[in-house]
Amino acid sequence: MTTKITGNRRPTRVLAASLAMAATTLGVVGCERAAAGTLEGSRLQLPVSGGTAVVDTASLAVTAHTSGGQQLVLSEGAAGGLGKPGPVTQTAQGARWSYPDKGLQVTASSERGRLRIKLRSDRDESVNWPVTGTDRAASAVQVPNGEGLDIPVRDAFWNAGPEKGGLAGSSVDIGEGLSLPLWGYSMSRAGGKGGGSGVSYLTPTDIGTSLQFASTGGRLRTTAKHDFDAGEGTRDYEVTLSLTDGNPVAPAADYRSYLSQHGQLGSLRRKIRQNPANGKLLGAFHAYVWGDARTAAGVGKLKKLGVDRMWLGYDSGPNPMNAQAVQAAKKAGYLVGPYDTFANGQNPKKADSPTSVWPGRVYPDFCVRKADGTPQPGFGKRGCYLSSRAFEKAEPAKHYLADRTRTMVANGADSYFLDVDATGEVFRDHGKGHEMTKAGDRANRLARMERLSKNLVLGSEAAQPWANKVLAYDHGSGTPTDGGLWKLERDKKKWGSYYPENAPGAFFKPVQLPRRMATAMYDPKYRAPLYETALHGSLVNLERWELSYQKLPAQKTTRALLAMLYNTPLNFVLDGPTLQKDGPELAALQKFFSPLHRAAGTQQMSSFRWLTGDRSVQRTVFGKGALTVTANFGSKAHGGLPGGCVDAKLATDQQPRRLCPAQLTG
């Protein structure tokens, strides 16, 4: 059976721990201090929150005895073997030993209630570990694809191969393809009852690490693979393992605590104090505007509809929002921001976008170079990707980025959408004079985003956790993506092209997702708010920028319920006709959302649970009861809540507020 969280369940241990993180630096509940282990033969026992972990120093197999009496397999031994281990030396925190055949040094310790395993290699090598999901009690696996998925390990859909929408046989780069560097499992209780316990796996060294999925006996299993590469700077590998109570968002709560403990958790409240314009994100829906919708008159129509907060963005084409439209938007209480990217360079004589044109010899001199010296082709094979290291070296004297930004916001815009910068795709650059590793690329991007964030409300295509302290919003980390999406988007007949200029079909043409894609991306029984559990209250997370609310008509009700349940804004695309047609629906949705997000947008998501065995009714809580939301994705009423509707109750409300999205006209 799959894990079911029922109404009388207490919060998870790690979830409860993260609640305390705002004021303390305690770790997972219990066992806050590092503790020495005991060694019996090859069995190293270390105390962890909720029980004891046992590491087999001969193979790196890990088991655990929980305080509830369960014995769990947290990892099998490393796949492919490690060779004969060297002598084990006990330390104050645990132990260290080696695997000479693989050139590996290992340390194991108990840290803030987690089992922490660190591997260091003296050669370019790889290791397949941990090997997870092999315990017969494993009932569901948590995967942070976009907002997050909780997948029953026996689910036939997900045990199929990627060509059918499943995961079996696939591999994902943790640093690039997942929205958080983690995964987890829920375990069934004895007798088949769900929710007894679980495991959280965090990989702080996500660069060079991938997660491989396999179906064995109709059950999903996962194995992490790390590539030790001196040139890439990935000779160190770290994994932490924590016991949880099996709540599907427990791994993300564990990660939130980890970020807080290491000074890596951002705060939207702090960002608002530093730049008060960030406060206008609270309660705002987001929309890319075209044609008449990006004029002062278009802004006036939105305001007349009763929309009190919006983020309005516009593309990099020849007709941006002018100063009059920007002023009207700011007067209405809206944020306004241009689209820009620092990642693409093209021949100025042939460039297909103004954002790809740079002064002097930025193109081609700043192109990221592969090991063979050839340029790294840009997105869609357009020009090249530009080196963040080359820009950072040139910026003090040349001001390429500062000048670009100054030009882009000369109309008074107070926000900025910087494509690509905070996504998982980073590069190693072999270009002479601007060499960098992927970690160096991240650091350079962080530096320039931090500069932008001081005066502008900054967003990016996605917000990887390493960028959560500098970004205020993102347009992408909310969507669990399916591999077939990219193929569908390239089919201009089905998806739409970038014409006509004032209403490109790629944005405005409605699309019917194939059934398998709709299941993989939007079936609510598989969704779990991992990203919000980890980062709600740090930044504002939305779905992908090209997937406006109107783009997928069949998913509208589900997406509206998810947005309200997760306390995340919807994104729209508007021109003159759609503003007229869809404006009233947008206004009704935003009117419901605005007070909820103003109250809870800076709070953490403190609870998530299913109220029914089929997962059709779900509930979230933000802060210490600041907001409670219950969504019914089913067709039958539950506790007086009709199917297809959501109830939201602020701490100050006597009765819940109700929204039934399908009943809105548009």
Side-chain angles (χ1 to χ4, degrees):
M1 291 178 65
T2 59
T3 304
K4 296 179 178 68
I5 312 299
T6 55
N8 59 1
R9 289 290 307 281
R10 61 180 175 79
T12 69
R13 284 187 295 272
V14 292
L15 199 58
S18 72
L19 278 171
M21 291 311 303
T24 72
T25 55
L26 298 181
V28 180
V29 168
C31 201
E32 292 86 20
R33 299 174 183 171
T38 59
L39 183 65
E40 297 178 2
S42 66
R43 291 166 51 86
L44 173 67
Q45 296 188 39
L46 288 165
V48 294
S49 177
T52 302
V54 182
V55 182
D56 183 356
T57 60
S59 66
L60 274 187
V62 183
T63 57
H65 307 287
T66 74
S67 53
Q70 284 185 287
Q71 185 161 340
L72 305 175
V73 177
L74 308 191
S75 173
E76 299 286 354
L82 297 168
K84 185 178 179 181
V88 180
T89 302
Q90 288 189 264
T91 66
Q93 291 78 34
R96 65 175 184 269
W97 65 98
S98 65
Y99 297 105
D101 290 352
K102 299 280 280 187
L104 289 174
Q105 298 289 331
V106 185
T107 60
S109 60
S110 176
E111 184 178 279
R112 290 187 167 114
R114 303 181 185 92
L115 173 64
R116 183 187 190 196
I117 304 287
K118 296 180 69 175
L119 289 80
R120 181 170 180 78
S121 178
D122 64 7
R123 66 194 70 166
D124 289 354
E125 180 63 88
S126 65
V127 65
N128 293 283
W129 181 89
V131 180
T132 62
T134 63
D135 193 306
R136 299 301 296 176
S139 57
V141 58
Q142 291 87 41
V143 183
N145 178 358
E147 183 58 67
L149 300 171
D150 179 90
I151 300 169
V153 296
R154 291 187 178 276
D155 190 275
F157 176 83
W158 293 102
N159 273 274
E163 69 283 353
K164 295 183 178 179
L167 288 171
S170 68
S171 177
V172 60
D173 184 312
I174 291 178
E176 181 177 329
L178 296 182
S179 57
L180 304 169
L182 60 85
W183 71 100
Y185 276 90
S186 299
M187 309 290 189
S188 297
R189 296 180 189 272
K193 296 181 180 180
S197 56
V199 193
S200 162
Y201 303 92
L202 310 182
T203 55
T205 49
D206 56 324
I207 296 177
T209 308
S210 58
L211 189 63
Q212 303 166 330
F213 296 87
S215 178
T216 306
R219 295 168 56 87
L220 274 179
R221 296 182 175 183
T222 46
T223 300
K225 179 186 179 184
H226 184 79
D227 294 319
F228 300 95
D229 187 311
E232 293 285 0
T234 59
R235 284 282 182 88
D236 291 288
Y237 179 39
E238 178 180 342
V239 181
T240 73
L241 302 84
S242 302
L243 298 178
T244 75
D245 74 350
N247 186 296
V249 297
D254 184 24
Y255 185 53
R256 184 184 183 94
S257 293
Y258 178 94
L259 290 175
S260 183
Q261 291 158 2
H262 292 80
Q264 297 170 9
L265 181 62
S267 163
L268 193 52
R269 285 195 190 100
R270 188 179 304 118
K271 293 168 188 175
I272 292 169
R273 287 197 300 269
Q274 293 169 347
N275 179 6
N278 284 312
K280 292 195 285 184
L281 286 170
L282 298 176
F285 278 179
H286 294 223
Y288 283 93
V289 288
W290 304 75
D292 291 342
R294 64 171 60 168
T295 64
V299 171
K301 289 179 181 179
L302 270 176
K303 190 66 175 178
K304 190 174 181 180
L305 285 167
V307 177
D308 68 344
R309 292 282 177 96
M310 283 294 292
W311 178 94
L312 302 178
Y314 50 92
D315 72 320
S316 59
N319 298 301
M321 288 185 78
N322 61 30
Q324 183 183 8
V326 168
Q327 183 58 33
K330 292 168 75 171
K331 186 177 179 180
Y334 303 167
L335 287 164
V336 182
Y339 166 95
D340 196 8
T341 178
F342 298 161
N344 188 251
Q346 299 180 39
N347 184 332
K349 296 180 181 179
K350 302 177 181 179
D352 57 15
S353 169
T355 58
S356 298
V357 177
W358 295 89
R361 289 189 55 83
V362 167
Y363 178 86
D365 290 1
F366 283 20
C367 288
V368 170
R369 299 282 170 176
K370 302 179 192 177
D372 63 4
T374 60
Q376 177 68 48
F379 179 76
K381 302 191 185 305
R382 299 158 52 249
C384 71
Y385 276 101
L386 296 176
S387 171
S388 63
R389 175 64 177 153
F391 272 125
E392 285 301 288
K393 288 187 68 175
E395 193 63 11
K398 297 293 187 180
H399 317 300
Y400 292 127
L401 302 182
D403 289 347
R404 163 68 74 84
T405 303
R406 193 177 299 111
T407 300
M408 296 291 278
V409 299
N411 59 0
D414 53 1
S415 183
Y416 215 75
F417 180 81
L418 187 61
D419 202 9
V420 178
D421 256 36
T423 65
E425 187 179 37
V426 288
F427 296 99
R428 182 177 178 188
D429 187 2
H430 296 267
K432 188 175 181 180
H434 47 84
E435 297 88 346
M436 67 180 178
T437 62
K438 290 181 178 180
D441 194 6
R442 280 187 184 177
N444 296 328
R445 295 180 188 210
L446 270 176
R448 67 194 191 190
M449 285 191 287
E450 185 173 17
R451 293 194 296 269
L452 283 173
S453 69
K454 290 179 179 178
N455 299 302
L456 294 164
V457 178
L458 182 64
S460 190
E461 176 185 350
Q464 287 288 317
W466 50 266
N468 90 88
K469 293 183 73 174
V470 297
L471 289 184
Y473 68 92
D474 75 80
H475 292 165
S477 290
T479 307
T481 55
D482 175 86
L485 180 63
W486 319 125
K487 182 179 179 181
L488 179 60
E489 291 186 5
R490 288 193 295 269
D491 188 333
K492 294 182 179 180
K493 185 176 180 180
K494 291 181 179 178
W495 190 262
S497 67
Y498 281 90
Y499 299 94
E501 187 176 288
N502 282 345
F507 286 91
F508 287 88
K509 180 181 172 67
V511 169
Q512 182 78 26
L513 289 178
R515 180 178 295 180
R516 71 168 185 85
M517 287 177 59
T519 298
M521 294 172 65
Y522 290 111
D523 191 327
K525 72 172 179 265
Y526 299 127
R527 296 290 292 264
L530 300 176
Y531 195 89
E532 297 316 309
T533 298
L535 293 175
H536 197 275
S538 171
L539 49 78
V540 177
N541 180 35
L542 281 78
E543 286 212 62
R544 288 188 59 83
W545 55 274
E546 78 272 31
L547 297 177
S548 71
Y549 186 59
Q550 309 101 304
K551 185 72 177 177
L552 308 174
Q555 281 73 44
K556 281 177 68 174
T557 293
T558 294
R559 295 174 79 191
L561 295 184
L562 287 168
M564 303 307 158
L565 184 69
Y566 297 166
N567 199 230
T568 55
L570 291 167
N571 63 341
F572 287 77
V573 61
L574 300 171
D575 66 346
T578 57
L579 179 55
Q580 185 73 24
K581 175 179 175 290
D582 300 325
E585 182 182 20
L586 182 159
L589 289 164
Q590 195 270 338
K591 183 178 181 180
F592 183 84
F593 175 77
S594 185
L596 309 181
H597 198 232
R598 290 190 191 210
T602 59
Q603 305 269 352
Q604 73 178 95
M605 181 183 281
S606 51
S607 175
F608 169 74
R609 52 191 174 129
W610 299 301
L611 302 186
T612 57
D614 64 0
R615 303 185 176 190
S616 64
V617 184
Q618 305 179 14
R619 176 172 290 167
T620 54
V621 180
F622 296 85
K624 297 180 180 179
L627 172 65
T628 301
V629 186
T630 307
N632 186 346
F633 296 95
S635 57
K636 298 178 181 178
H638 175 83
L641 178 62
C645 298
V646 60
D647 275 354
K649 189 174 185 295
L650 295 171
T652 53
D653 288 341
Q654 295 298 313
Q655 297 293 329
R657 308 153 184 246
R658 179 163 295 175
L659 174 71
C660 300
Q663 296 178 11
L664 301 177
T665 58

